[in-house]
Structure formats: C-alpha cells, structure tokens
Amino acid sequence: MLQLNRNIRLLLGKGLLLGLVVALAGILLASSNIGRWMEEDVGLAWLFRLRGPIAPPGEVVVVSIDYNSSQRLGLANNPSRWPRSLHGELVRKLNKQGAAVIAFDIFFEESRDPQENILFAAALREADNVILFQSLKKKPLTDAAYPGENRQTGYIESLASPIPVLREAAFGLGPFPLPKVPAKVNHFITFKPELGDIPTLPIVALEVYSLPAYGVLRDLLSDVIPEQVTQLPANREQINRLGGIHKLAQKLRRLCLNNPDLAQQLIRRLDHFSTTVSPGERELLAALISSHAQPESLYLNLYGPPQTITTIPYYQVLESNDQDNPLELSGKAVFVGFSEQFQPEQKDGFYTVFSQELSGLDVSGVEIAATAFANLLQRSTLKTTSASTDMLIYFAWAILLSLVLRALSGPILIIVALLLGLAYHQLGYELFRQAHYWIPLAIPLFWQAPLAVIGALLWNYLDAQRARRNIRHAFGQHLPIEVVDQLAQGMEHIADSGQHAHAIVLATDAQQYTRLSEQLAPAELRELMNRYYETLFGPIRRSGGIISDVVGDASLAIWTSTRPDPVQRQLACHAALEILSNVEYFNQQEPAFALPTRLGLHFGEVIMGHVGAMDHYEYRAVGDIVNTASRIEGLNKQLGTRILVSKEVLQGVEGFITRELG
C-alpha cells in the first residue's frame, strides 16, 4: 500500500510538472501576436464556419446602393454623383413605410449643388430619424525636436462631419471605423474614447430605435441617480437642441462610465416596471442600457455571407407603393449604403470569415454596420473571456491533459488525447453556438494538446529507458550484458540453439563453508559470502570473464572467444592468481571466518545458451569442459594444491611458473 501511494504521488508530481510547462507555453503564446492571430483567424473563424450562417433579426434592413439601381434609375454607376434630392425621396419613401431609424453609411463631405442639398436637408428634417455618417481623419504628428527631418512619431485623430446644411438637418451623426487593410474584420467600435467617447453609427442607430422607450429610461435613471438626470434632455425637441441624438448617447455613456454599477441597477429595476413596460420595451431598454456599458470594442457575431441581412435595392424602395407594393419596413432599422451582389462592382467590401473565396465578394461596410446594430439590439455580440480567465483556462486545460496523459502510454495515450480534444472542442462550440460565448480554442487544441502529448510520450520514453537501464543493470549482475540486451529485444532468444565458443572455464570451491553455515545465522552467512565473492568476482570481471554460476560456496567463471585465443587463456590464469591472492588477504582480515579456496581451469569447446524449460531458464555453458574443470578443481583436495590447470589452458601461454602433476 505504501509503495502504491508513493507511485501515485510520483505520477501526480510528474503530471503536475508537465502541466505547468504546457500551461506556461500556452500563456506565453497567447500573449504574443502569433497567439492572438491563432485565436482570431483560426479559432474564431473555425467556430463561425462550423456554426454556419444563421437567420438575422427581422428588425434590420439594408437598402443597397448598387449597380442594378444605377441601371434602373438611368444614373451613372458612380453613386457619389447621384442627385441628393434622390436620397431625400428615399428618406420620404422609407418613412412612409414606417422605418424607425434610417442610417446612411455614406459620407456627404462635398457641397455640390446647393439646391440638391436643400432638398435633401428638408427630407431629413421632415423625417427626424435619420443618422448621417461621420468620417475619422488621421493627421500625422512630427517630432518638434527634428522639424527639418519631419520625423513622424504618431498621429492625431479628428472627426469630419457632413456639410453643415445636412449636418444640422440630421437627427444624429456617427462614424463607423473599420480596418481597410488585408485583415479580417472581427470586431467593431462602440465608442471612441480618444474623441470624448463619441458613439459610432450602430450605437446612435440603437439610440434612435429605442427612443419611444426613452421616457421609461429617464424614469429609471431618476430612481437610481436622481441628482444626475437633470443634465439629460426630457423629450425629442430638447434632444435636437442638444445637438443631435448622438449627444444624448454620449451623455449616457459618461453616466455609465462614472457609475460602473449603473447598467446592472437599471436592468434590475426594469422588473419593477412590469405593469407599465411591455416585454418588447423591456428587451429594447435592456439592449440600450447594455450597449452604453459595453467595452469600446466588441466582437461581431456575423450572420453569414454577403447580403445575409435582408437587402433591398435602392430602386425598389423608390418604385414601391405604400398600398400596392409595401416593403414591410414598419418599425425597422434601415441602413443605406453600398452593397453589391458581384465582386467587380463592389466599392465598399471588408474581408470577413464569410467572404466568398471563389467570387471574391466581401461583406459590405453597411452590412457590417447593420450587423453591429443587430448584435446590440439582440445583445448577441460575442462575449469573450477576460485575460485572467484565459490564463485559468490555459492552466486548467494543461493540468487536466497532463495528469491524464501521464497515466497512459502507447496508442491509448493518443486516443485519450483525441477524445479530450474533441470534448473541449464540443464545449467551446456549444458555448459559441448557444450563448455567443467565445473561449480560447486554437491555442488549447493546436498548441497545448500536442505539447502535452509530445511531453507525455517523451517522458514515458525516458521512464522506459531509465527502467530498461535499471533492469539491464540488475540482470547484468546475473547474466552477461550482451545476453541481457538480447532478452530485451524479445524472448525468442531463450529457445535458440545457443552459441558455439572456445572457452576457459574456472571452477572455485571454498573449504569450511559447511562448518560456517552451521555456526552463522542465514543473514550473517549471506553477508559473509557476499564479501567473499566480491574478492573473487573483481579479478574475473576485470579480465573479461563471465560469472556463469554460483552455488553455495562454489562458483563458475568463463572466458569465451570465437577461436582459440592464448590471450584469453592468459587473462584467465592471471585472474586465478589474483583470486588466490585476494582470498588470502580476505582470510587474514577475518580468520574466524576464513574460506580457503581451491581453483581449477580447463579449456575447450562449449555451447553458451539458455538451459531449462517452461518458465525457468538459466544461462550457462554446456559441454564436457565444464564438468572437467570442476573435477580438476576437486583434485586440489587430494593433491594439497590451490590452483590446478589442464595442459590445454597453458598452450601458447607464457610468463607463469608451473609444475606438472601428471
């Protein structure tokens, strides 16, 4: 039980150590640009593709300024040159159809024909629900210390509004900045803190859309922060005098920033207005309140490929009839901008995960603005994890993987790793699909999981090698090391026919062993014999011999070669003399336990191999010379000698003084 607990603790310790390494690797990658690219352009894109297109909300519509409308209206395919009175007519048509808010994703920066501007401005005032696009301009800054070199050190951002006559007639204004570089659009801006927290086009559109419930919102604010409500306009007329509804959105944003818990308090208090507020108004107000408390940048929950959001060509609106051909725009948010069905005519496209690779058609800017508005309205923007939560996910995932995989090996390890990866992937997908919640996917699956698998496999390999070395060392005490290596490759070597060899066999036997075994306890006898055999085995090992057998006080050593070798025989003779010298020293150190030793050597042919049957084998030399060496050793007792060798051993051997005994 103690050994089992120790093994479990050791396994847990190794798993935790591997987990910490994998977790650190994930956190380091996540904090780099490559990690952020992996999560957005690989992980997020995969989730969108796996989920596929979904139905957009019916409350938002795009009116497309496109090539077909140019042809139908007999105008040049250059919408920037269209008469602005035409836009005024579009606004009137949309209002007759009951549009709740109209947002133009077109920048009216040129003055052009004054009469056209006046006609368009009149339509804007009459509608009193139109938002016009503002543009963000970047002006480079230069280092004042190097005016001559005009060294650029950064830029300053400024806001450009439409021409005054249109700006003053519009009910609201708002920019919608998107990256215009070869990069995938994944998020949108809600407010620009660099410019005093000005709201962007989707926020302003939502503000107008929810204006019918503004009175309820003001009552909620009066309950929560009564002293600050006086700075807010009370009605539509005061909103216009304030400078537009975008100014109201800006004030609400600052209230939320100055009161971090304000949004939650307002949403909770909505329940107390259940008798006076309809469910639809409650959802609308909750969306409006949440949008002002959101971070300045949110991830888009894209609905699908270009024109997934209901798209009506510009000309169809102008040709529609309120009675005979209604467009069902009542209570809807309408976004007007460039949107084409085919790539060659596209003037305003942005690369997204749903861009069409074959046709090259991207999602238009106006559709992205409409998507952002719909996300805010449905409170379905992608919710992301915080940096601390990300670290917790990387850490927990790495520890789980490592602890499980360290307990496994071989194909099972790979299979379990795949199953765990599939489970994590499914969890991430379900959170994304059902709750619009995006957790890290690419780094855990494509970085941490392979690292954990490789680490576990490598650690298993090192453990196996360490265990093999230990076993090799342990068995090396009993078998020749080359035999141990053969057995490590497979048990088929057990039953082979053995190896023919020329061998010198050394047999030893100790006197007085029987008397000592009767006097000493088994443990004492064992300790004594271990010290005794240490004096014998040292010379044998150093001279290249193999310890073949040990039985009680007798042992057998062998020197083998593929052909008769005088050098081997000479080494064996030297070993025998050294053994005798060692034993004499051993006996002098412990006279009470002296073990006088006799040695016999013989040379001839043997077969080296495993001898035995069923489940028990021993590695030994088989041949007549083994028995002869033992008999030669036994003659020492009759002749009163210590070392006897056969004449075969001495053939070709020089440097020894010998005496022939016949």
Side-chain angles (χ1 to χ4, degrees):
M1 181 62 71
L2 292 176
Q3 181 64 31
L4 179 62
N5 291 337
R6 180 179 179 277
N7 290 338
I8 292 175
R9 289 197 302 271
L10 187 62
L11 187 64
L12 288 175
K14 292 180 178 180
L16 288 174
L17 180 58
L18 177 61
L20 289 175
V21 173
V22 174
L24 181 61
I27 292 171
L28 289 176
L29 180 61
S31 61
S32 68
N33 291 331
I34 295 176
R36 287 186 285 273
W37 170 83
M38 284 180 63
E39 286 302 337
E40 285 202 18
D41 282 26
V42 178
L44 181 59
W46 168 249
L47 289 171
F48 272 122
R49 290 193 179 98
L50 190 64
R51 186 208 66 185
I54 57 175
E59 293 89 347
V60 61
V61 173
V62 171
V63 171
S64 61
I65 299 176
D66 55 8
Y67 176 77
N68 288 337
S69 294
S70 298
Q71 296 296 303
R72 188 66 174 250
L73 298 173
L75 299 170
N77 188 23
N78 184 4
S80 64
R81 311 308 301 175
W82 286 8
R84 287 177 179 167
S85 59
L86 201 63
H87 296 318
E89 184 179 349
L90 178 79
V91 168
R92 290 190 175 93
K93 284 282 187 178
L94 291 173
N95 268 286
K96 286 183 179 179
Q97 297 277 359
V101 57
I102 304 168
F104 276 87
D105 188 28
I106 306 169
F107 186 36
F108 299 104
E109 60 179 332
E110 298 178 359
S111 180
R112 294 175 50 189
D113 187 343
Q115 186 60 33
E116 290 289 329
N117 291 334
I118 291 172
L119 292 174
F120 186 23
L124 296 179
R125 288 192 183 90
E126 180 183 333
D128 203 26
N129 66 348
V130 179
I131 306 165
L132 296 184
F133 179 80
Q134 291 175 300
S135 177
L136 291 175
K137 305 291 186 181
K138 292 181 179 180
K139 180 181 178 182
L141 292 174
T142 56
D143 192 334
Y146 304 94
E149 299 180 22
N150 194 32
R151 176 177 292 181
Q152 183 172 321
T153 60
Y155 63 87
I156 184 171
E157 208 166 32
S158 61
L159 194 63
S161 296
I163 58 175
V165 65
L166 300 181
R167 180 182 68 236
E168 295 169 2
F171 188 51
L173 304 170
F176 191 58
L178 287 173
K180 194 60 177 176
V181 293
K184 196 174 291 180
V185 175
N186 290 319
H187 61 88
F188 69 98
I189 305 298
T190 55
F191 293 88
K192 291 289 292 182
E194 304 88 349
L195 298 174
D197 289 311
I198 62 168
T200 58
L201 196 66
I203 292 288
V204 181
L206 182 62
E207 199 77 49
V208 178
Y209 190 82
S210 58
L211 199 57
Y214 175 65
V216 178
L217 175 60
R218 208 168 184 279
D219 292 340
L220 289 171
L221 289 168
S222 298
D223 289 345
V224 179
I225 48 171
E227 69 284 354
Q228 300 181 50
V229 173
T230 55
Q231 60 182 284
L232 298 177
N235 50 47
R236 200 181 193 101
E237 182 180 351
Q238 290 184 11
I239 293 173
N240 278 318
R241 286 204 299 269
L242 182 65
I245 197 163
H246 55 285
K247 298 290 185 181
L248 172 61
Q250 194 172 18
K251 285 183 175 293
L252 291 173
R253 171 67 169 181
R254 287 173 179 168
L255 285 177
C256 289
L257 292 178
N258 294 333
N259 303 274
D261 297 329
L262 178 60
Q264 294 182 0
Q265 294 178 28
L266 293 175
I267 291 175
R268 283 197 300 266
R269 290 194 67 80
L270 272 174
D271 295 334
H272 299 292
F273 285 74
S274 57
T275 56
T276 57
V277 179
S278 67
E281 287 180 319
R282 188 180 300 109
E283 290 299 319
L284 182 59
L285 283 171
L288 178 65
I289 294 167
S290 297
S291 69
H292 286 77
Q294 295 277 17
E296 62 195 57
S297 176
L298 296 175
Y299 279 91
L300 287 159
N301 188 2
L302 297 167
Y303 297 106
Q307 299 197 352
T308 296
I309 290 180
T310 302
T311 303
I312 304 173
Y314 193 100
Y315 77 87
Q316 283 190 11
V317 178
L318 294 180
E319 293 178 357
S320 65
N321 185 291
D322 299 345
Q323 296 179 351
D324 300 333
N325 187 25
L327 295 176
E328 299 182 359
L329 298 176
S330 178
K332 295 185 179 181
V334 179
F335 287 78
V336 183
F338 305 105
S339 180
E340 294 285 357
Q341 293 181 334
F342 304 101
Q343 191 273 335
E345 289 83 25
Q346 191 166 48
K347 298 176 178 62
D348 183 39
F350 293 87
Y351 182 58
T352 72
V353 65
F354 287 113
S355 291
Q356 297 178 348
E357 301 293 340
L358 294 178
S359 67
L361 187 65
D362 292 321
V363 179
S364 64
V366 68
E367 187 166 4
I368 294 177
T371 299
F373 168 85
N375 285 177
L376 294 171
L377 182 63
Q378 289 191 323
R379 290 195 284 174
S380 62
T381 55
L382 295 184
K383 295 179 279 292
T384 58
T385 52
S386 64
S388 58
T389 304
D390 283 348
M391 289 187 181
L392 181 61
I393 290 173
Y394 296 135
F395 182 82
W397 171 243
I399 294 297
L400 172 64
L401 266 179
S402 301
L403 285 176
V404 173
L405 298 185
R406 275 296 294 132
L408 305 172
S409 61
I412 296 297
L413 186 151
I414 305 295
I415 294 172
V416 171
L418 290 174
L419 292 175
L420 287 173
L422 287 173
Y424 182 90
H425 174 274
Q426 190 63 26
L427 172 64
Y429 172 66
E430 292 300 330
L431 288 173
F432 182 82
R433 184 177 67 88
Q434 298 185 27
H436 316 302
Y437 200 82
W438 172 33
I439 64 173
L441 193 71
I443 291 177
L445 293 181
F446 303 136
W447 174 244
Q448 288 185 296
L451 277 181
V453 170
I454 293 172
L457 289 173
L458 180 60
W459 208 326
N460 286 345
Y461 172 78
L462 294 176
D463 283 348
Q465 290 299 310
R466 189 181 302 109
R468 183 173 179 174
R469 286 195 299 270
N470 292 337
I471 293 173
R472 188 172 185 265
H473 177 72
F475 275 91
Q477 310 299 316
H478 304 273
L479 295 172
I481 203 66
E482 59 272 13
V483 176
V484 176
D485 291 337
Q486 287 180 355
L487 293 177
Q489 300 299 321
M491 295 300 293
E492 63 273 8
H493 299 287
I494 290 289
D496 62 14
S497 58
Q499 296 179 337
H500 288 268
H502 295 271
I504 304 100
V505 178
L506 167 65
T508 73
D509 187 36
Q511 296 176 228
Q512 302 184 28
Y513 174 76
T514 303
R515 178 179 61 81
L516 291 176
S517 65
E518 293 172 351
Q519 294 176 358
L520 298 176
E524 293 174 329
L525 181 63
R526 175 181 175 275
E527 184 179 353
L528 173 66
M529 296 309 296
N530 284 344
R531 293 198 305 272
Y532 166 74
Y533 279 122
E534 187 176 356
T535 66
L536 271 64
F537 293 168
I540 295 171
R541 291 288 194 189
R542 287 191 293 272
S543 61
I546 299 171
I547 311 300
S548 174
D549 200 5
V550 175
V551 178
D553 59 339
S555 69
L556 202 70
I558 303 173
W559 286 259
T560 62
S561 60
T562 56
R563 57 185 177 80
D565 187 357
V567 175
Q568 289 282 64
R569 295 198 288 273
Q570 188 153 354
L571 289 172
C573 291
H574 275 295
L577 290 173
E578 189 177 352
I579 288 172
L580 193 60
S581 175
N582 288 353
V583 170
E584 289 178 357
Y585 181 78
F586 173 82
N587 291 337
Q588 291 172 6
Q589 298 299 313
E590 302 183 65
F593 306 108
L595 290 166
T597 301
R598 300 183 293 263
L599 296 88
L601 288 88
H602 188 43
F603 171 80
E605 292 187 5
V606 297
I607 290 180
M608 301 296 298
H610 300 278
V611 178
M614 299 178 65
D615 60 351
H616 182 78
Y617 287 85
E618 292 184 4
Y619 186 82
R620 60 176 60 224
V622 178
D624 179 63
I625 69 164
V626 177
N627 296 328
T628 301
S630 296
R631 289 196 293 270
I632 290 173
E633 179 275 319
L635 284 174
N636 282 292
K637 186 175 183 180
Q638 301 176 27
L639 299 175
T641 55
R642 291 297 178 192
I643 302 179
L644 288 177
V645 299
S646 66
K647 64 179 181 180
E648 288 83 359
V649 173
L650 294 177
Q651 288 180 2
V653 175
E654 299 177 354
F656 296 97
I657 299 174
T658 63
R659 178 164 59 94
E660 186 174 354
L661 297 177

